[in-house]
Amino acid sequence: KWQNMSGFDDLLKKGLDQGSLSHDEILIGLMNERISPKILADFIKKIKVQGIFYYSEHQPHGIHNLIAKGKKQGYLARHEVIAILPSEIQDEEQISDILEMIKDMDIKIQ
């Protein structure tokens, strides 16, 4: 089980400290651990439950940085979120859905 592996403990602490973990950070942090894909998937679920934002490097870094900022200060300005959205997201309903997802991460929108 991953709970008994020091690499996982270190990653969990890092994620709690910075508010996020990338997929590459997780893989690098677990280089010396023998893990199965199921154990890795279970760990990713655990960090999400802990309120740690998990992201892939394929996502724009602006989103990662903004979520990390919001987790740190507890809020984001609506205009900050809208500014990093892809240009094809213009519909108010889509924007509202994204803002709700951010609120679900315990980040207030002002």
Side-chain angles (χ1 to χ4, degrees):
K1 289 198 122 222
W2 64 262
Q3 291 92 335
N4 298 325
M5 298 179 186
S6 63
F8 286 102
D9 292 338
D10 294 343
L11 279 171
L12 190 58
K13 181 179 179 339
K14 179 180 181 179
L16 288 169
D17 288 345
Q18 68 187 26
S20 66
L21 281 175
S22 75
H23 187 74
D24 282 355
E25 284 178 304
I26 292 171
L27 293 179
I28 291 168
L30 300 177
M31 286 173 82
N32 297 324
E33 305 282 359
R34 291 181 171 242
I35 60 168
S36 69
K38 170 140 179 36
I39 291 174
L40 180 59
D42 288 346
F43 180 70
I44 291 170
K45 286 180 190 171
K46 171 71 174 177
I47 65 173
K48 289 179 178 179
V49 168
Q50 292 287 326
I52 300 169
F53 178 65
Y54 166 78
Y55 69 99
S56 166
E57 279 71 16
H58 301 292
Q59 294 172 325
H61 287 289
I63 294 170
H64 160 66
N65 293 339
L66 194 62
I67 296 296
K69 176 184 174 183
K71 285 227 170 245
K72 194 171 251 182
Q73 68 187 21
Y75 69 92
L76 290 171
R78 181 175 169 38
H79 68 86
E80 289 178 292
V81 176
I82 293 171
I84 65 156
L85 295 178
S87 59
E88 59 269 7
I89 298 180
Q90 297 292 321
D91 181 61
E92 189 58 40
E93 188 173 327
Q94 289 176 308
I95 293 171
S96 291
D97 289 345
I98 292 167
L99 294 173
E100 283 303 314
M101 288 187 330
I102 293 171
K103 288 177 188 176
D104 288 344
M105 294 180 214
D106 293 325
I107 300 171
K108 295 176 184 162
I109 301 294
Q110 298 182 337

